[in-house]
Amino acid sequence: MPTVDEQRWSNTQLENTRLRGHKNLLREKMRTIATITDDEYIKEIAMDAIHKTARRD
């Protein structure tokens, strides 16, 4: 039976993994938007979002 601290650590690791997957999906969606759209303003926003999430990894 894991201790309380071990269980907390395990839950934190699971949450981090889940968030990392979510960020990767978000980055892929933004990359798709930046590739497809012709609107320069939207492209700029999408590229900015990609760079912000990349810096946090």
Side-chain angles (χ1 to χ4, degrees), residues 12-39:
T12 301
Q13 295 306 308
L14 287 172
E15 187 64 23
N16 288 344
T17 302
R18 202 173 299 130
L19 289 173
R20 198 173 305 124
H22 177 72
K23 273 201 290 189
N24 289 341
L25 279 174
L26 178 64
R27 201 175 301 144
E28 284 301 314
K29 287 178 183 178
M30 288 297 137
R31 194 171 288 125
T32 303
I33 289 170
T35 306
I36 292 173
T37 188
D38 292 331
D39 188 338

